[in-house]
Structure formats: C-alpha cells, structure tokens
Amino acid sequence: MKILLNKSFLLVICFFCVTEASSSTINNTIDSLSQLIQIDKEDTNKVIHLIDLGVEFQRIGGYDSSLFYVNKALILATRLEYQKGMALSYHNIGNSYYYQGTYDKSLRNYLKALTIREKMGDKKGVASTHQNIGNIYLYQNNYNKALESYSFSLRIREKMGDNKGIADSYNNIGIIYEKQGDYKQALSSYLQSLKIVKEIGNKKGIAAALYNIGNIYYYQGNVEGALNNYLQSLKIEEEIGSKEGIAASYTNIGVFYGEQGKFEESYHFLNKSLILSTEIGDKRGVKVVYYALSDLYNRQKNYQQAYNYYKLYSDTKDSLINEESSKQIAEMATKYETDKKEAENQLLVKDNALKNANINNQQLIIYGISIVLLFALAMAFLIFIGYKRKKQTNFLLEIKNTAIELQKNIIEKKNTQITDSIDYAKNIQDAILPLTSDIKAAFSDAFILYQPKDIVSGDFYWFYTTKQHIYLSVIDCTGHGVPGAFMSLMAYNLLEKIVKQQNITTPSEILDNLNMAVLDILKQHHEESTAKFGMDMALVRIDKTTQQLVFSGAHNSLYIINNSQLTELKADTVSIGTKRQITSHFTNHTYQLIKNNQLYLFTDGYADQLGGENRKRFYSTRLKTLLTDISLLPMSEQKITLQHNFEIWKGTIEQLDDVCIIGVRI
C-alpha cells in the first residue's frame, strides 16, 4: 500500500504493509484455488481456500472479486462457528475496503477481527490487526494514534520472534517519522526493516523498504541513490506481479523525472501509472497521479493543463474540496489568465511597433498603394458578393437551428411530463404493496428484496391474513416498466376480488380462477387471439394453528430450508393467462412446517441476470446454493448479502429484469 506525501510540489509514494499472517504464504494460483473450492466439502478447509482466493485477488487489484469470495468464507465460517475463519474473513474484508479507500468500512471489519482474536488469544493476529488499524490512523493524519498502534504491534511481534511482522512494523514506524520530517529516524527504521526482509527473503518487504529508503535519499539530496532504489523496487514489484506496487513505482519515478526537468520521461511513467491505477480501481493511486500531472504541467508553465489535472485531483478526493485546495485551484486559474493576458500584451506591443514602422515608411509605399487600388476595389467587390451569399446562408441556417431548438424544447417538455407521470404511477404501485412491518409481524423474521429494473415494475408481492390463514405471494407479470406495471395492477385487483370477495381460499383454485379471469379480460381465450400476456407466480397459504403449508405455483417454485437443507416444491410449468383444458388445474403441494423453517418466494429476475467473468446467467442452481449458504444469518443480513452478490455478479452489465425475493422464517 502507499501514502501521499507533499514537499513543495513533490508527490512521493511510500509503501506500508497491510499484512495477514495466517494467509500470507499462499502459493496456489487463482485457477487452482477456484478448482479447489468447487470440490471442497462445506468445512473449515473451504473457508481457508475461499479466503486464500480472496487474498490472491487483492494482490492483483481485484478488490470486488476479493470481497465476494471472502464474504462467502465469512458466511460459511459463521455457520460452522469457526472463530479463526471468521477473524480471517473480517480482517481481509477490511483489507479490501482499505485498498479501495473506504476507511469507515475497513475499520469496522478490523475491529470485528480484533475482538475475535483477543478472545481467542491469537497474539499474532492481534498484532496484524493493530498494524492495519494504525494504517487507517495514518491516512487520517493522526500520527500519534498511528504510532501507538504500530508500536503495540511491534512489541507483540518482538516477544513472539515474528521477523516478518517486526520488519513490517519498522517499515510503518519509519513512515510516521518521514511524515513528521524526522528523516534520520525514518532512515534508521527503514534500514532495520530492509535487513530483516533480506534475511528472510521477503521480496514484497524488500521492495517496500527500498522504495521508502529512496524517498529519504531524495529528501537528503542524494538524487542518484533515490532513483537507483526506485528502479530496484520496480523490478521486484514486476517480478512478483504486484500491480499496485508497480503503479506506485511508476508514479514515484515519474515525479522524480519531473523534479529533474525530464518532462517527457516524467509524463511517460505517470501516464503508465494512471492507466494501471484506473484498471485496478486504486482511487488513491489515481488521485496521486492527477496531482503529479498537475505539478508536471505547472513546471512547464502550461497552467491550463495544470489547472485541469488539479481539478481532477480535487474531484477524486473523498471529501469536498477544502479551503486550501480551493486556494490552489484559484491560484492556478489566475496564473493561466495572467499568462494569457501577458501573451496578448506582447502581441499588442508587436502590432504597435509594426504600425510605427509603416508610418515611417509610408512615403515609400504611397505610389504602390495607388497602383494596387483598382485591384483592391475589384477584390472588395468580389468579397462583398461572397459576404451577401454567406449572410443569406447563415440566415437560412439560423432559421433551421431555431426550429431544431424548438423541437428539442418540445421533446424535453414531453419527456418531463412522461417521467412525472411514471413517477406518479410508481406512487400508485407502491401503495398496493403490503407493508413490510405487516409481513414481519406475521413471522418470526422476514426480508423483502424488491429491485425494479425501471421506475415501475412488473413484479409485485401480495399478502393477506385471516383468523385462520396467512397468504403470501410473489408475482412476475409479463414485461417490466410501464407494460409490466399495468399488468401488476390488474393482477392485484383480480387477486383481491378472488380471495376477499369470492372467498376462494385454496391456492390451486385461486390460480385457476386468476387464469380464467386474465384470459377473459385480455380476450386470450379466443382462437384468433395472438396476445401472450400473463404472469408467473408462487402462492402459499399457512394455517396459523397447525402450521400446515399449502403451495401452488405457475412456473415459480418455492424453496424451504431447514438446518441448511433445501427442499423445493415445484410449480406447474404453465403461466397464468395460458389456455388450458377445462379439466386441467393447478396443483396443490402440502408441507408440514416446524419452527425456524425458512421459506423463499421469488421471480426469475435474480437467476436470469447476466454477469460473472463469462457473462452467463446466474441460474437457479447458484441461487439455491447462495440461499443455503446464508440461511443461518438474520434475515436483514441475508438481504444485504443477496444485494451485494447481485451487484458483484452483474458488474457493469445492465440489470435485465425486475428482481423480487421474499424470505420468511417460521
């Protein structure tokens, strides 16, 4: 990891180590680990392999992928009550958030890891976590608290004889002294770290120490020694494939060349760093490069570009631009305007000098002017004709532009009206949905994941209770957006009428009557009808006294999980709104519920979402596995995990359909 230092316009990157002692000696590749977790049993070995895979992704800058696998490890470790695995998971989740610059989430996970490790008496883990907490204090410029954390970590490691940990601590303590301007103490700490990492053959540690010693040499005026250290560090980072380390080395070498006036070489390295930092999602690295590029152009007196890059630097900062940043931006803008006016003044001086020369020589050229006068008049006539034609063309063009602008305003106004209408329709659709509090009151725990693709949705859920029964349904109407929303309102009204007015209470009969009603309303029972509108749904009825469940479904099945074992009650493979034989009816399935059974009703939006490395569908098989993995968590955490997994899976791909999943615990 790196930090940002300022010395005049100098931007320097310093390494400091975010370590995890229990997972720092991983030798397997990402491919082999991926294969292992496919064949692993659901035990502690799989927890470790998932964490190892997450750490490997951290090393190449794949922080979102790392979070995905380590979160899976945390879920499994929690289910197994595997304390060591839980601590490792929280620690490495904290690392990923740290690399992404999300320090509040990072600290929250580090503290969870620290609590578990202290209870376990895991001294090595406690030292590691204290060091990473110190890193967060360092980025908050709270040097005293950072030094306190690093020193605490060092004392534990010295007692244990943990040489790698001792080297890491000396390295980080050196950064504190460097930030405080005590270069002698900083160099002493870095040299101690370098001696140890060379003895134990820790290449990452050697690269970090060389890098930071290079910074001290630079501050002390040893330019040649500084560059030599930077290049050695870069070579090691390239050997071990640390993208973050390579990017940071590029940045520092670029800054170094800029300080030496070698602007072309400086831009070359800074641009390589910007590309790599952007690729791995290192926001802090990108911010540093923007500042370095601003400094580079400032040195070249290209104040416009310097201003542009400083503004990019400011925009990428976590907080709003502070007073000092605003002042620097204003100064750059002023320099640019001053430079521009100075150039204009120089042109004006040259113009005046030329005029004076013309006055002094006008006696010599007066006859020449007389000779070319007729030619000039002829040219003026031709220019006048051309001007009239151009003016006429511009007039016609202005008329066309005015018409285009008018059409644009009309379209924008219509779009606003349409959007306002859809927003109002959303309010109507939201009003028909049952209250989450009512559903939770009927069960011991529950969650609702409802994520429309557009403003309004074709998915909706329905809930109704009587003295004897609880009814719960999730419905997926044809289409999404406005067409789906129209269908959902119709389906809601039909359900209300069938159950509450017609007193039809058996799930299969409710679906049969709903099917006939949709066919009649949309006139799809006629032979000449080509319309194919309808819906898929899952409907359950639970007897409050006996806890007997009756389920009927149209395409959408029901999942029941008991003690991490999933049972699927399959739906009929036809949709509501399908022409069927008169004797053909939807099927009822019965199931005797017991305490802590969990029910999951859902539409197909989650399983059908494209994503992953191969842009494939998530599929119901993965959904079953995911629901089983998280089934022991509280319902609120299950919802968060499902949301997080969905976002990671789809990545940059657009959401394809409405998503609705309801989970309840008996």
Side-chain angles (χ1 to χ4, degrees):
M1 291 305 299
K2 326 292 187 225
I3 63 172
L4 172 62
L5 297 176
N6 292 307
K7 183 183 179 184
S8 298
F9 281 101
L10 175 64
L11 286 166
V12 182
I13 311 298
C14 286
F15 282 91
F16 59 91
C17 305
V18 178
T19 62
E20 170 48 63
S22 297
S23 59
S24 62
T25 56
I26 302 169
N27 297 315
N28 294 325
T29 62
I30 288 175
D31 287 339
S32 62
L33 284 169
S34 299
Q35 291 171 5
L36 273 176
I37 64 174
Q38 295 299 320
I39 60 175
D40 275 340
K41 295 179 180 179
E42 296 294 295
D43 57 14
T44 57
N45 286 328
K46 185 169 185 177
V47 173
I48 296 300
H49 291 154
L50 285 166
I51 294 170
D52 288 352
L53 184 56
V55 172
E56 290 297 330
F57 275 111
Q58 283 178 11
R59 290 176 175 174
I60 61 171
Y63 304 129
D64 285 336
S65 296
S66 177
L67 283 169
F68 174 76
Y69 287 107
V70 181
N71 268 305
K72 288 192 73 171
L74 176 60
I75 291 167
L76 180 56
T78 303
R79 195 171 76 202
L80 298 172
E81 298 183 356
Y82 179 37
Q83 297 296 309
K84 181 180 178 182
M86 291 168 63
L88 283 169
S89 299
Y90 281 127
H91 189 103
N92 282 287
I93 290 169
N95 287 354
S96 288
Y97 282 128
Y98 177 84
Y99 291 131
Q100 293 178 318
T102 313
Y103 300 126
D104 56 337
K105 291 183 179 179
S106 177
L107 182 59
R108 192 179 309 133
N109 282 280
Y110 285 153
L111 291 174
K112 288 180 180 179
L114 184 61
T115 300
I116 296 172
R117 284 171 164 171
E118 286 175 340
K119 289 180 180 178
M120 292 172 59
D122 178 11
K123 292 181 180 180
K124 196 170 185 179
V126 168
S128 177
T129 307
H130 267 291
Q131 178 166 294
N132 289 8
I133 291 171
N135 295 340
I136 294 175
Y137 287 132
L138 180 62
Y139 266 93
Q140 294 174 334
N141 297 322
N142 191 340
Y143 302 139
N144 291 333
K145 292 290 288 183
L147 187 58
E148 182 180 316
S149 291
Y150 292 155
S151 298
F152 185 90
S153 179
L154 177 60
R155 287 194 297 272
I156 295 175
R157 286 165 168 171
E158 286 177 334
K159 289 179 182 178
M160 296 179 61
D162 177 11
N163 287 332
K164 183 183 182 302
I166 293 169
D168 292 343
S169 294
Y170 276 127
N171 187 76
N172 289 11
I173 290 170
I175 290 175
I176 298 296
Y177 289 127
E178 183 177 339
K179 292 283 282 184
Q180 294 175 330
D182 189 346
Y183 301 137
K184 184 178 179 180
Q185 282 281 59
L187 183 59
S188 175
S189 294
Y190 290 150
L191 288 172
Q192 284 180 285
S193 177
L194 180 61
K195 179 183 177 183
I196 297 170
V197 290
K198 280 185 174 180
E199 289 174 352
I200 63 177
N202 181 355
K203 287 189 175 182
K204 181 68 178 175
I206 294 171
L210 287 171
Y211 199 109
N212 291 342
I213 290 169
N215 290 341
I216 302 302
Y217 284 158
Y218 189 89
Y219 292 142
Q220 294 176 335
N222 183 356
V223 175
E224 185 176 345
L227 181 59
N228 182 53
N229 273 49
Y230 294 154
L231 292 174
Q232 285 186 65
S233 178
L234 174 59
K235 184 179 178 181
I236 295 171
E237 294 289 356
E238 288 174 337
E239 287 175 359
I240 63 179
S242 172
K243 290 186 178 181
E244 188 190 25
I246 294 168
S249 295
Y250 285 156
T251 301
N252 234 33
I253 294 170
V255 169
F256 176 88
Y257 280 129
E259 286 279 310
Q260 302 304 309
K262 298 180 180 180
F263 301 131
E264 190 171 330
E265 292 91 337
S266 176
Y267 179 78
H268 171 73
F269 279 98
L270 291 176
N271 190 51
K272 287 178 73 172
S273 178
L274 182 60
I275 292 170
L276 187 53
S277 296
T278 303
E279 176 189 321
I280 64 176
D282 183 1
K283 295 177 184 177
R284 286 176 290 119
V286 170
K287 181 181 69 173
V288 171
V289 179
Y290 282 149
Y291 192 96
L293 286 167
S294 174
D295 172 54
L296 177 63
Y297 283 112
N298 185 65
R299 292 175 184 278
Q300 295 176 293
K301 302 189 185 303
N302 186 342
Y303 300 121
Q304 178 63 58
Q305 282 289 73
Y307 170 81
N308 291 341
Y309 276 107
Y310 193 87
K311 196 166 188 311
L312 285 171
Y313 159 73
S314 299
D315 291 342
T316 56
K317 293 174 72 175
D318 292 335
S319 58
L320 296 173
I321 299 174
N322 57 31
E323 185 177 343
E324 180 182 350
S325 301
S326 301
K327 182 179 178 183
Q328 289 177 334
I329 291 175
E331 286 175 355
M332 287 192 178
T334 302
K335 280 186 179 181
Y336 170 66
E337 293 299 328
T338 302
D339 188 53
K340 183 179 176 182
K341 288 180 181 178
E342 190 173 286
E344 290 174 350
N345 289 337
Q346 289 176 358
L347 288 174
L348 186 60
V349 169
K350 290 180 181 179
D351 189 48
N352 288 335
L354 183 60
K355 287 181 179 178
N356 290 334
N358 287 337
I359 292 172
N360 293 333
N361 293 294
Q362 61 179 306
Q363 292 297 325
L364 299 175
I365 63 173
I366 191 168
Y367 293 109
I369 293 175
S370 299
I371 293 171
V372 299
L373 182 59
L374 289 175
F375 178 75
L377 287 172
M379 289 297 295
F381 177 72
L382 292 174
I383 291 170
F384 176 72
I385 292 174
Y387 169 74
K388 286 192 69 177
R389 288 177 179 172
K390 184 178 179 181
K391 187 175 181 180
Q392 184 178 12
T393 301
N394 287 342
F395 176 72
L396 293 173
L397 187 60
E398 185 177 351
I399 292 174
K400 289 181 180 180
N401 287 340
T402 302
I404 291 170
E405 186 66 26
L406 181 61
Q407 288 296 321
K408 178 186 173 186
N409 292 336
I410 292 171
I411 291 170
E412 287 179 349
K413 185 176 180 181
K414 287 185 179 295
N415 282 341
T416 301
Q417 291 173 342
I418 292 168
T419 303
D420 289 344
S421 297
I422 294 174
D423 285 334
Y424 188 73
K426 182 182 186 302
N427 293 334
I428 296 173
Q429 189 176 46
D430 288 346
I432 72 169
L433 296 175
L435 295 175
T436 303
S437 58
D438 288 344
I439 296 177
K440 286 186 175 181
F443 301 95
S444 63
D445 198 3
F447 75 80
I448 300 171
L449 173 56
Y450 185 61
Q451 191 168 313
K453 178 183 184 297
D454 302 307
I455 298 174
V456 289
S457 174
D459 288 4
F460 75 102
Y461 47 97
W462 181 78
F463 173 75
Y464 177 58
T465 60
T466 65
K467 290 182 179 180
Q468 185 179 356
H469 294 123
I470 300 171
Y471 295 87
L472 182 62
S473 181
V474 170
I475 302 97
D476 180 2
C477 298
T478 302
H480 45 75
V482 174
F486 273 115
M487 286 291 295
S488 70
L489 290 173
M490 180 192 74
Y492 170 80
N493 286 320
L494 290 174
L495 267 175
E496 291 280 300
K497 181 179 178 181
I498 291 168
V499 178
K500 295 182 181 180
Q501 295 180 22
Q502 298 176 5
N503 293 319
I504 296 172
T505 60
T506 304
S508 62
E509 293 179 12
I510 294 172
L511 266 61
D512 286 335
N513 280 268
L514 183 58
N515 185 55
M516 293 303 299
V518 170
L519 288 172
D520 287 339
I521 292 174
L522 299 179
K523 298 179 175 59
Q524 293 181 176
H525 56 284
H526 298 295
E527 292 298 329
E528 64 271 17
S529 174
T530 59
K532 294 183 179 179
F533 302 110
M535 62 202 71
D536 297 333
M537 64 185 291
L539 171 65
V540 298
R541 186 192 72 187
I542 301 171
D543 190 297
K544 293 180 180 180
T545 304
T546 65
Q547 293 293 289
Q548 185 183 62
L549 175 144
V550 181
F551 161 76
S552 187
H555 268 303
N556 290 347
S557 297
L558 171 69
Y559 296 160
I560 303 173
I561 297 180
N562 180 42
N563 291 329
S564 300
Q565 297 297 318
L566 186 145
T567 300
E568 179 179 0
L569 300 187
K570 292 185 178 294
D572 292 298
T573 56
V574 290
S575 298
I576 301 295
T578 301
K579 287 179 282 188
R580 309 179 72 187
Q581 296 293 328
I582 296 176
T583 56
S584 179
H585 299 285
F586 283 95
T587 309
N588 276 329
H589 300 269
T590 59
Y591 188 92
Q592 184 58 51
L593 297 172
I594 60 174
K595 188 176 181 181
N596 290 324
N597 278 167
Q598 293 174 82
L599 315 180
Y600 297 93
L601 296 84
F602 46 85
T603 61
D604 60 4
Y606 199 106
D608 285 349
Q609 178 62 43
L610 294 179
E613 294 181 2
N614 299 318
R615 298 174 66 90
K616 292 183 177 180
R617 296 186 187 277
F618 192 76
Y619 290 120
S620 59
T621 304
R622 284 194 184 91
L623 181 59
K624 290 177 184 178
T625 302
L626 179 59
L627 290 173
T628 303
D629 286 344
I630 65 176
S631 61
L632 296 180
L633 296 177
M635 285 295 180
S636 58
E637 291 186 25
Q638 290 189 33
K639 177 182 177 181
I640 292 170
T641 304
L642 285 166
Q643 288 174 317
H644 181 66
N645 182 79
F646 185 76
E647 293 303 317
I648 291 175
W649 178 260
K650 75 181 183 67
T652 58
I653 300 174
E654 180 184 4
Q655 182 176 331
L656 301 180
D657 199 359
D658 302 317
V659 172
C660 183
I661 301 177
I662 292 182
V664 298
R665 180 175 281 126
I666 302 301

